[in-house]
Amino acid sequence: MSKKTRQVRVGNVLVGGGAPVAVQSMTTTYTRDVKSTVAQIKRLEEVGCEIVRVAVPEMEDAVVLGEIKKQISIPLVADIHYNPNLALEAIRQGIDKVRINPGNLLNGRESLEQIVRAAKERDIAMRIGVNSGSIDALDKQAQMQRIQVRLREDGTLERSDPAEARRLERERLAERMVTKALEYISWCEELDYHNIIVSLKSSTVLTAVEAYRRFSERSDYPIHLGITEAGTLVTGAVKSSVGLGLLLADGIGDTMRVSLSAEPEEEIPVAYEILKSLELRNRGVTFVSCPSCGRVEIDVISVANEVEKRLSKVQTPIHVAVMGCVVNGPGESRDADVGLAGGKGKGVIFRKGQVIKTVPEDQFLDAVLKEVASLLPEGEAKLIYPEGGIKDVAGTHRTRDEGMNLPILPASR
Ligand code: SF4
């Protein structure tokens, strides 16, 4: 059960107040390079990104935002650090939301008030994006508290318990982050501005979780979830899944970004997998594939990877299974909309729980995709199954020559 928050509109996307958790990302291009930025946003749109943020480090980047906005379909957010004039220009350009960082906004309250007045006039949203890195840098006293060794009166050294010290430090930092966000919120409210979304990001999973939980207990403004600088594809996906998963499972979070040191398009499927795992969104392919093991009868890894890649643009909810042998294959495949259960160089294709046919290994990909395509709207089917079929089938013939002598399931045709 998600925690009830206020609802804020970001362009045509509703955030909070019971709306589905919106998935967002951020471009990696130089924003002033309009052509590359728009092309990247289009690729993000194709894979299901619902809100996109662009960095605005200089005025050259701010003045092209209107041009970018004209060419894209999803709401555009300007990410501002330090200079309030960049925010003011971005708002003039017609962006849908401005993100400011309380840890580094020059002239703090005075700048915030200028930005709020402009955002209010245009009726656009603002994210108060607190980041533990910039909060920490501000607080010298907190840095002093990091000292974990103390001299006792008898001259011996007392070392604090590192785990306990880390926990206390985490709590202090989280509290400072929340306090900063609430302070900025109170300044906005004094100007009768409530179009606010809040993030409390940290590269440390437990600090972010602590900060988001604390904030959620004290405020009903919608929350943008993220673990900042989470890492590369594997590290970042795992850290984001743990951190965001813990919060989302508790009903905390209204929009999210999975930050990866990878192409931004790769962030989107990770975000949807997190949301689908928690049954918070139902979009695109829910994919089941076995890891393969010593019983494997087909090249399950190649087939699974290729099937998943080909289905990456599908938005219709559909359940697909690719399984390596008869041990778990038939059960998982029957439960899926389309399933493949491998067996001795052949595979049984299931559709909606029924055995459809048995196909040789070099036709696995073609057969699975054809069945998936038959269950999709025409426009989406074309994306995965071009006319004339698929020639470059997966399969590097890792199948053992003799198989495991396990029974192959009977095929209906
Ligand atoms: S389905 Fe078969 S091959 Fe795949 S992991 Fe299970 S036992 Fe191994």
Side-chain angles (χ1 to χ4, degrees):
M1 179 73 183
S2 77
K3 187 175 175 292
K4 188 83 175 164
T5 49
R6 298 169 190 232
Q7 194 159 72
V8 167
R9 188 180 48 76
V10 181
N12 56 5
V13 174
L14 295 175
V15 176
V21 179
V23 170
Q24 50 180 295
S25 184
M26 185 168 183
T27 55
T28 54
T29 53
Y30 291 112
T31 305
R32 65 193 70 179
D33 178 354
V34 173
K35 194 171 164 212
S36 306
T37 303
V38 168
Q40 193 171 62
I41 294 174
K42 297 271 185 204
R43 291 198 295 278
L44 280 164
E45 285 176 1
E46 273 183 10
V47 291
C49 179
E50 294 168 311
I51 298 173
V52 68
R53 180 162 47 116
V54 296
V56 184
E58 292 181 283
M59 203 46 90
E60 285 90 329
D61 304 293
V63 295
V64 298
L65 294 173
E67 188 53 40
I68 293 172
K69 172 120 180 81
K70 265 190 250 160
Q71 298 183 51
I72 63 173
S73 311
I74 53 178
L76 181 65
V77 184
D79 191 67
I80 309 291
H81 294 267
Y82 307 110
N83 183 353
N85 293 327
L86 298 173
L88 298 176
E89 180 57 33
I91 293 169
R92 260 195 298 277
Q93 290 283 329
I95 54 157
D96 301 290
K97 183 172 80 170
V98 60
R99 180 266 165 128
I100 55 112
N101 179 351
N104 63 25
L105 185 64
L106 298 177
N107 302 323
R109 182 169 187 170
E110 189 186 326
S111 299
L112 178 78
E113 289 184 351
Q114 280 182 305
I115 298 168
V116 164
R117 285 195 187 92
K120 208 176 154 187
E121 197 183 308
R122 294 265 184 161
D123 193 24
I124 66 160
M126 172 192 289
R127 168 152 71 97
I128 298 176
V130 178
N131 186 314
S132 70
S134 42
I135 289 289
D136 216 11
L138 291 178
D139 197 328
K140 294 198 172 50
Q141 192 188 355
Q143 289 175 3
M144 296 292 289
Q145 288 170 345
R146 286 185 170 178
I147 295 168
Q148 293 178 354
V149 180
R150 187 174 75 86
L151 190 63
R152 292 195 190 97
E153 283 181 7
D154 64 4
T156 57
L157 289 177
E158 179 187 307
R159 290 176 192 281
S160 56
D161 170 5
E164 178 62 6
R166 276 201 303 279
R167 187 183 66 77
L168 289 172
E169 187 182 333
R170 197 159 57 231
E171 287 183 1
R172 280 194 291 264
L173 178 53
E175 186 57 32
R176 292 202 309 283
M177 292 164 70
V178 171
T179 305
K180 183 62 84 177
L182 293 173
E183 180 183 43
Y184 267 58
I185 287 174
S186 71
W187 293 342
C188 293
E189 286 177 336
E190 281 183 36
L191 295 173
D192 196 25
Y193 178 76
H194 308 271
N195 241 344
I196 301 165
I197 297 172
V198 173
S199 65
L200 300 140
K201 295 190 185 182
S202 171
S203 56
T204 310
V205 171
L206 291 176
T207 303
V209 169
E210 181 74 28
Y212 279 117
R213 282 191 172 143
R214 283 174 183 242
F215 180 82
S216 165
E217 279 169 13
R218 286 187 242 169
S219 174
D220 65 353
Y221 281 102
I223 289 177
H224 166 124
L225 292 180
I227 305 296
T228 196
E229 295 116 23
T232 52
L233 189 55
V234 172
T235 339
V238 171
K239 283 164 81 175
S240 297
S241 304
V242 172
L244 276 51
L246 280 168
L247 293 161
L248 288 162
D250 277 353
I252 299 171
D254 303 288
T255 178
M256 64 190 274
R257 179 198 175 191
V258 170
S259 303
L260 299 177
S261 304
E263 290 301 313
E265 301 93 287
E266 296 188 67
E267 297 179 352
I268 305 300
V270 179
Y272 278 110
E273 279 308 318
I274 295 171
L275 292 170
K276 282 190 289 187
S277 305
L278 296 166
E279 297 188 4
L280 292 169
R281 296 286 302 262
N282 186 15
R283 179 196 177 279
V285 179
T286 298
F287 196 62
V288 174
S289 66
C290 83
S292 98
C293 72
R295 296 184 194 88
V296 74
E297 306 262 29
I298 63 170
D299 184 6
V300 69
I301 296 172
S302 298
V303 178
N305 277 300
E306 191 60 23
V307 168
E308 190 175 45
K309 198 167 94 191
R310 299 274 189 146
L311 300 182
S312 63
K313 291 180 184 166
V314 171
Q315 297 194 22
T316 303
I318 188 163
H319 190 139
V320 178
V322 173
M323 302 293 291
C325 80
V326 296
V327 173
N328 293 320
E332 291 288 355
S333 299
R334 262 197 197 95
D335 286 347
D337 293 307
V338 174
L340 163 69
K344 242 192 257 181
K346 295 179 184 167
V348 180
I349 302 290
F350 291 75
R351 185 174 63 194
K352 298 279 185 191
Q354 301 297 316
V355 173
I356 297 297
K357 58 185 170 184
T358 301
V359 291
E361 189 176 12
D362 63 355
Q363 290 173 27
F364 285 168
L365 182 67
D366 194 68
V368 170
L369 295 184
K370 202 170 184 177
E371 292 306 328
V372 173
S374 74
L375 297 175
L376 294 175
E378 200 179 331
E380 275 192 303
K382 276 189 188 145
L383 289 176
I384 60 160
Y385 193 77
E387 273 174 38
I390 291 162
K391 306 284 183 256
D392 53 331
V393 288
T396 48
H397 303 283
R398 285 174 60 243
T399 312
R400 67 185 77 217
D401 289 341
E402 298 302 322
M404 288 290 290
N405 293 321
L406 295 168
I408 297 178
L409 287 164
S412 64
R413 63 179 161 95

